[in-house]
Amino acid sequence: MRAPIGDFADVRPALDRLDLLTAPVAEAVRAWRGTVPVDSILYVDTDPAIADTAVFVEHHGQELLDASANCVIVAGRRGETTTPAACVVRSATRVDVNGVVRKELGSRKVRFAPVDVATGDTGMEYGGITPVGLPEGWPVLVDATVVDTEWVLVGSGRRRGKLILPGKAFAELPGAVVLEGLGQEPGPAPEQPGVS
């Protein structure tokens, strides 16, 4: 089987690789519902040593830079209430935490969740967090450009391996809210005083 994006040696339907997924991700794939058929969710085996974006795309294909997404866990706070949420943006962008996320969650302050909280609450490994299989009730904020991308590469719940699924599937995830402008293009580096 060949992946619809990227160059991967081992590509299989995720349903055939449940043993390589974390428990919450495997359960979400097993229970998949929606207009996107479950056999459209693919698992590709990858080396965790080259999981960082720049090295990854160099090894598996430059087109993945525009066809991959990151899932970042945040915590919004208003008074004594903390709301965890996932933000899914294209890998080449950054999450607009203080604008779009804060407004959507109705929070006074939003911060990135500490690694131990993000991994502990999701049951996933750092560097492999995916929006597939997140805890029930969590908002999953998805940048509209992810949904508009034909095929998207995203974490599998572990640092080893990735999932590839149609972009429109992200809009059907439990708790999904599709937002314009969630992913922002990185701006120029700030000027440093005394440097010319």
Side-chain angles (χ1 to χ4, degrees):
M1 174 178 251
R2 198 158 158 68
I5 55 173
D7 182 23
F8 300 96
D10 187 359
V11 182
R12 299 184 193 178
L15 267 177
D16 295 346
R17 300 314 320 238
L18 296 177
D19 59 318
L20 298 178
L21 304 174
T22 60
V25 178
E27 181 53 38
V29 170
R30 229 184 264 108
W32 187 263
R33 301 286 179 269
T35 62
V36 174
V38 70
D39 60 359
S40 295
I41 304 172
L42 304 175
Y43 175 87
V44 294
D45 191 32
T46 61
D47 181 351
I50 61 166
D52 293 324
T53 304
V55 179
F56 189 87
V57 299
E58 184 179 312
H59 188 78
H60 293 290
Q62 278 303 131
E63 76 274 14
L64 293 174
L65 192 57
D66 291 325
S68 61
N70 290 328
C71 181
V72 179
I73 306 302
V74 298
R77 189 163 179 90
R78 184 172 194 90
E80 297 301 313
T81 305
T82 300
T83 304
C87 300
V88 183
V89 298
R90 287 182 315 119
S91 295
T93 63
R94 60 177 175 74
V95 178
D96 183 6
V97 174
N98 292 316
V100 176
V101 175
R102 191 169 61 81
K103 181 179 175 186
E104 181 62 31
L105 295 180
S107 300
R108 282 193 171 288
K109 185 175 184 174
V110 177
R111 62 179 174 79
F112 294 104
V115 172
D116 61 329
V117 171
T119 57
D121 289 356
T122 63
M124 301 178 200
E125 295 177 1
Y126 179 73
I129 294 177
T130 181
V132 178
L134 289 169
E136 189 175 330
W138 278 30
V140 179
L141 311 181
V142 183
D143 187 83
T145 61
V146 172
V147 175
D148 292 341
T149 303
E150 185 176 8
W151 291 96
V152 178
L153 178 96
V154 71
S156 68
R158 295 186 191 257
R159 194 148 166 87
R160 176 177 205 108
K162 303 282 185 193
L163 298 177
I164 296 176
L165 56 158
K168 63 185 177 182
F170 290 87
E172 297 183 7
L173 291 168
V177 178
V178 179
L179 299 168
E180 296 288 338
L182 177 64
Q184 298 288 306
E185 297 294 330
E191 289 187 32
Q192 296 178 359
V195 177
S196 55

